[in-house]
Amino acid sequence: MRGLTGEGPAGTRGGIQAVIMALAVFAALALFASSCAAGGTGARDEGPAHTDSDSVAGAAGTPSAAPSKTPSVNAVRLVKDDPEVAPEVKRDLKPCVADEYPVDVSYGNLTGGSADDVVVNVLTCGDAVGVGSYVYREQDGSYKNVFKAEEPPVYAEIDRGDLVVTKQVYEKGDPVSSPSGENVITYRWASGRFTEEYRTHNDYGKVVGDSASPVPAS
């Protein structure tokens, strides 16, 4: 065989090295092709198995497709279209500046419905006195009035799942900006309506000798 190649032992070693190199190149090409077919992950697909914590972390990083429970409503339209709202409140509900209406809106779970309830306070433009407070509950795709208080000054808010209504108390001669005190009434939803749970009365720095303001009946 040496006579055919004319290279002797050195030629034989060179031929073996060439074969080894060709096999190595072929193996590398085969591995590269397999890696591409596997989506570019290659040998990393055979790494350590994923733990439960890895799955939880991956799920936490995925945005939820569930819609928000908080509604988006036009509070002014809600009040104006509500037959339960007093005509004078609707009549006086006008923009204070440009298209800014004197309404204060908050959302929260008061009635245990599938969507958050809407609390709307209607105020005066000049001194922000509350003239009406309303709670709307989502029902069959629309909002139903389930509470109203229209004895000004009045203001309603959500406190830890309860409806808290503050009514300011005036003595004879008190200016609108300086009431003598306030009644704070807490309501809770039960049996399809709000019922009074308790109330407190607070005096605003009364002068010595003045008589206390009576708490009006609910």
Side-chain angles (χ1 to χ4, degrees):
M1 294 295 291
R2 289 197 300 269
L4 294 175
T5 60
E7 296 177 358
T12 301
R13 287 194 299 272
I16 293 172
Q17 291 174 353
V19 171
I20 293 173
M21 181 63 69
L23 289 174
V25 171
F26 178 78
L29 290 174
L31 179 61
F32 177 77
S34 174
S35 173
C36 291
T41 56
R44 284 176 293 178
D45 286 343
E46 303 301 324
H50 294 295
T51 63
D52 290 341
S53 60
D54 293 331
S55 300
V56 172
T62 304
S64 173
S68 172
K69 289 179 58 180
T70 301
S72 178
V73 301
N74 184 328
V76 174
R77 181 53 52 195
L78 201 60
V79 170
K80 285 184 174 291
D81 291 345
D82 184 0
E84 298 292 327
V85 175
E88 56 270 24
V89 173
K90 295 182 182 181
R91 183 181 61 249
D92 295 338
L93 182 52
K94 300 176 182 179
C96 297
V97 178
D99 59 349
E100 297 294 328
Y101 284 82
V103 294
D104 193 1
V105 186
S106 57
Y107 304 91
N109 189 349
L110 288 170
T111 67
S114 58
D116 282 346
D117 303 296
V118 185
V119 178
V120 181
N121 289 287
V122 179
L123 315 171
T124 60
C125 286
D127 43 22
V129 172
V131 296
S133 299
Y134 311 93
V135 178
Y136 293 93
R137 186 176 193 264
E138 192 276 334
Q139 185 172 314
D140 299 327
S142 60
Y143 288 91
K144 178 183 178 182
N145 186 326
V146 292
F147 179 88
K148 70 175 181 177
E150 295 178 325
E151 304 82 20
V154 62
Y155 190 86
E157 57 190 330
I158 301 169
D159 184 12
R160 291 168 291 185
D162 290 333
L163 176 66
V164 178
V165 178
T166 301
K167 297 181 178 181
Q168 292 178 325
V169 177
Y170 289 87
E171 296 284 354
K172 185 178 180 179
D174 286 343
V176 173
S177 59
S178 300
S180 295
E182 65 180 11
N183 295 321
V184 182
I185 311 167
T186 300
Y187 295 90
R188 190 163 296 164
W189 183 261
S191 301
R193 65 188 186 94
F194 283 104
T195 57
E196 182 178 329
E197 287 292 304
Y198 50 87
R199 66 171 58 201
T200 58
H201 175 76
N202 302 315
D203 285 328
Y204 294 157
K206 296 184 68 65
V207 177
V208 176
D210 286 352
S211 58
S213 302
V215 178
S218 57

